[in-house]
Amino acid sequence: KKMTSELNDDNEVTPPAPKNESNEECNKDVAELKPLPSIGKAFLIYAVIPLALFILPELIDRILKMNFTSSATALFGLSNITSTSSSSTAIISSPDQRRPNVNIDRELQYLQNMKENTRRRNEQQQQTREAEAKRNAQPPSMGRNSQKQKMDDTIAAARKVFKNNPTDLFHTLHLADLLRNRDLTYHDGGSVREEAVETYQHAIEILLPRREILLNQGLSTNELSDPEAAQWVTEHGGDEFYIFDYRRKSVDGLLCVVYTSLGKVLYMASMFEDAVGAMNQALIYKPNDLDALNQRASTYIILGKYKEAAEDYVSTLALDKSRIFADAFTGLAKVLTAKEEVVPGGWNTLVSILNEHIPNVLLKWQQSSNTPELRSRTADHLKRMHLAMFQYYDVKVNDTDLAWMHLEKAQQFKMSTVDPFNSNTENYRIKTIIDIFQPGIWTPGVGSDSIAPIFVIGFVRSGSTLLERILDSHHLIAGTGEGGFILSFCAC
């Protein structure tokens, strides 16, 4: 037999170790563990491991979202909300005589989860405000906006009444609506947004036990006790949206409107998934509620869920006989521009409705010269209808002449609601703006030290809205949306 040798670290020849019968099995096992070839090592280090590190976070995030969605569906019975997307109208099926089967314990748990989610989201922002307030504590300026101060005083009074009567449903709703209105009126970083969410949730916690009592007594939760209100709802397609007095609504109608209002606050907070969840809850109680359907459709567009948005918009247009929700026209036009195939019938679904209703609304506008409020509302509807037709001829037909004609008409109806130029009015407006934007208008710590605002300007569908949303998600930046003041300024 040949003797083999190997060099040791000192380059000396080392004889092989003698064979040992006792460890023969170990030698076999060790011999099987051959080192990986150099190419295999390089592939593992430079390709497999980095790829795994890149994919794993996204995979884990999708799994978590999938589990959350499936658990939410099982928990809240969202499958009770059905729609017929195969039809060109895609109307959500009307509720039958049976009342929706809602588990009160599960729904209260849902509210608690949403409340915790809202608190966690606002925790960092609140801590920043408190820290800045301590460093920059100063008395409010005498030039502070009197209208804002008046609104804050009204909220303070309503808050006091609410604290003295925490179980009174209508005092609770009054405070919640005031807080939401302030959040819509003054963009100060959502200083009252969390309180608005909690107040609406408190109203739901009051309503759910009342609904349970009615069910246990075998009474209806969706019938109106007021005959006049019932007649009004019947004339308007069965939608309680047209009843503005909370005291005249049914219990299910109240739950629907409260969940819808809660969803709107969450939408303003850029909590779009939670906003959709609130709208889903609203539609459990009133499956054809126009306000909830329209708001959910708007949220779906932001989330990129065009098919779901199309179903809600088509349902809104089919059910809204009074044409209150004119933004459904422009909303559906956005969906068609982005992804026409998700809308049954494509552009024809929208254009056929517009061709039918534009002459009717135009006649109503012409006959409303003595009713300023109606004239302004119909002008806004005509503006939105012509904007939708502009998108159709611009995107689908590629007829620039007809597209421009509808764009001009939309501009004409928009400007018809604007008062003629008046120097005294403009001077007063400028003075009001100067009086409003004084030191002390913002909560200490809110905003940038720079006096320059941020303007996001871009072509249609160029990503300007996405950029504005990204900036708005920062806790020190408050996005104001697409304001019309620039167009008004140019028109002057």
Side-chain angles (χ1 to χ4, degrees):
K1 295 182 181 179
K2 289 186 177 181
M3 293 287 293
T4 57
S5 303
E6 60 179 344
L7 292 176
N8 61 10
D9 292 338
D10 297 326
N11 294 328
E12 297 176 350
V13 177
T14 304
K19 185 175 180 181
N20 190 342
E21 298 292 340
S22 62
N23 62 358
E24 182 176 356
E25 294 297 327
C26 288
N27 290 335
K28 288 182 179 180
D29 294 337
V30 172
E32 292 175 357
L33 298 176
K34 297 179 180 180
L36 290 172
S38 58
I39 297 178
K41 287 183 178 180
F43 180 74
L44 177 65
I45 294 173
Y46 295 105
V48 177
I49 294 178
L51 185 63
L53 293 175
F54 178 77
I55 293 176
L56 277 176
E58 180 68 20
L59 181 61
I60 293 172
D61 181 64
R62 290 190 179 186
I63 292 174
L64 291 175
K65 288 182 178 179
M66 180 179 64
N67 290 338
F68 173 80
T69 304
S70 60
S71 62
T73 303
L75 183 61
F76 308 126
L78 300 185
S79 59
N80 292 337
I81 305 176
T82 58
S83 62
T84 56
S85 58
S86 59
S87 171
S88 60
T89 56
I91 304 175
I92 293 182
S93 57
S94 302
D96 54 18
Q97 297 300 321
R98 296 174 297 173
R99 291 178 287 271
N101 185 16
V102 180
N103 189 307
I104 185 172
D105 294 329
R106 291 178 178 177
E107 192 154 353
L108 290 174
Q109 182 62 43
Y110 160 76
L111 293 174
Q112 184 63 31
N113 293 341
M114 184 184 292
K115 189 180 296 184
E116 292 299 324
N117 189 18
T118 306
R119 281 205 184 97
R120 286 194 298 269
R121 185 179 180 88
N122 289 281
E123 185 177 9
Q124 182 181 4
Q125 182 177 357
Q126 185 64 27
Q127 291 174 352
T128 302
R129 286 179 183 155
E130 292 175 355
E132 291 293 333
K134 291 179 181 179
R135 289 195 296 267
N136 303 320
Q138 58 182 357
S141 171
M142 294 301 293
R144 185 171 183 175
N145 181 11
S146 59
Q147 293 181 345
K148 181 180 178 183
Q149 184 61 53
K150 183 178 180 180
M151 180 177 288
D152 288 341
D153 292 342
T154 303
I155 290 175
R159 189 182 289 122
K160 184 177 180 180
V161 173
F162 165 70
K163 289 182 178 179
N164 292 333
N165 304 275
T167 59
D168 188 291
L169 173 64
F170 301 107
H171 287 319
T172 304
L173 291 176
H174 178 60
L175 174 61
D177 288 343
L178 286 174
L179 293 169
R180 183 170 73 89
N181 186 47
R182 188 192 186 282
D183 189 40
L184 290 170
T185 306
Y186 299 102
H187 301 279
D188 58 355
S191 59
V192 299
R193 192 173 292 157
E194 184 177 356
E195 184 183 2
V197 170
E198 293 180 349
T199 308
Y200 278 123
Q201 290 171 340
H202 183 73
I204 295 171
E205 292 169 356
I206 295 174
L207 279 166
L208 287 176
R210 295 187 181 183
R211 185 178 188 277
E212 193 73 13
I213 291 173
L214 291 175
L215 291 175
N216 292 335
Q217 294 176 349
L219 300 176
S220 173
T221 59
N222 55 16
E223 291 183 3
L224 298 171
S225 57
D226 187 337
E228 183 180 350
Q231 179 64 27
W232 176 266
V233 169
T234 302
E235 294 174 355
H236 289 79
D239 191 355
E240 290 187 35
F241 168 78
Y242 300 100
I243 301 178
F244 301 106
D245 186 355
Y246 285 149
R247 299 178 187 274
R248 304 176 73 183
K249 288 180 177 288
S250 67
V251 174
D252 285 355
L254 283 170
L255 280 166
C256 179
V257 73
V258 174
Y259 269 118
T260 302
S261 298
L262 174 60
K264 291 178 180 179
V265 177
L266 295 170
Y267 179 94
M268 287 292 297
S270 298
M271 300 171 65
F272 302 116
E273 295 286 356
D274 289 330
V276 169
M279 299 302 168
N280 289 341
Q281 292 297 115
L283 291 166
I284 288 177
Y285 299 102
K286 290 290 182 180
N288 289 337
D289 185 80
L290 294 173
D291 197 14
L293 283 171
N294 190 65
Q295 183 63 39
R296 189 173 68 173
S298 301
T299 313
Y300 276 144
I301 286 184
I302 293 179
L303 294 174
K305 298 182 178 181
Y306 295 113
K307 183 176 184 297
E308 293 84 350
E311 292 176 354
D312 284 351
Y313 276 135
V314 173
S315 295
T316 302
L317 291 174
L319 295 167
D320 184 16
K321 304 302 182 183
S322 300
R323 297 296 166 214
I324 299 296
F325 296 92
D327 54 340
F329 293 114
T330 50
L332 186 57
K334 290 179 181 178
V335 175
L336 287 163
T337 301
K339 204 170 185 180
E340 182 182 356
E341 61 270 19
V342 301
V343 181
W347 277 99
N348 290 335
T349 301
L350 177 60
V351 173
S352 60
I353 298 175
L354 291 172
N355 287 332
E356 177 185 355
H357 287 283
I358 286 179
N360 297 332
V361 179
L362 178 60
L363 179 61
K364 186 182 295 186
W365 177 79
Q366 293 170 343
Q367 296 174 347
S368 62
S369 57
N370 297 326
T371 313
E373 183 179 353
L374 177 60
R375 190 173 181 82
S376 177
R377 186 168 67 251
T378 52
D380 180 71
H381 288 193
L382 287 166
K383 177 198 73 175
R384 294 178 183 275
M385 290 178 178
H386 281 292
L387 284 175
M389 291 296 288
F390 157 73
Q391 288 185 272
Y392 167 67
Y393 284 108
D394 183 47
V395 176
K396 180 67 175 178
V397 182
N398 198 24
D399 188 329
T400 54
D401 291 334
L402 286 175
W404 185 258
M405 181 195 72
H406 283 286
L407 190 61
E408 280 189 323
K409 288 186 176 181
Q411 177 69 2
Q412 290 170 5
F413 284 114
K414 178 177 181 178
M415 299 307 296
S416 70
T417 61
V418 178
D419 295 331
F421 178 79
N422 184 295
S423 59
N424 292 331
T425 301
E426 294 304 314
N427 289 332
Y428 176 78
R429 181 181 300 176
I430 293 172
K431 182 180 181 301
T432 301
I433 293 174
I434 294 174
D435 291 340
I436 291 174
F437 291 95
Q438 293 286 335
I441 182 175
W442 306 116
T443 304
V446 173
S448 171
D449 292 335
S450 171
I451 62 173
I454 301 172
F455 291 93
V456 181
I457 302 173
F459 288 103
V460 176
R461 303 201 61 78
S462 65
S464 57
T465 302
L466 174 62
L467 178 57
E468 188 268 340
R469 292 289 179 182
I470 293 173
L471 294 172
D472 181 65
S473 66
H474 192 282
H475 67 282
L476 294 180
I477 299 177
T480 59
E482 298 180 2
F485 66 94
I486 294 181
L487 293 177
S488 301
F489 177 79
C490 295
C492 295

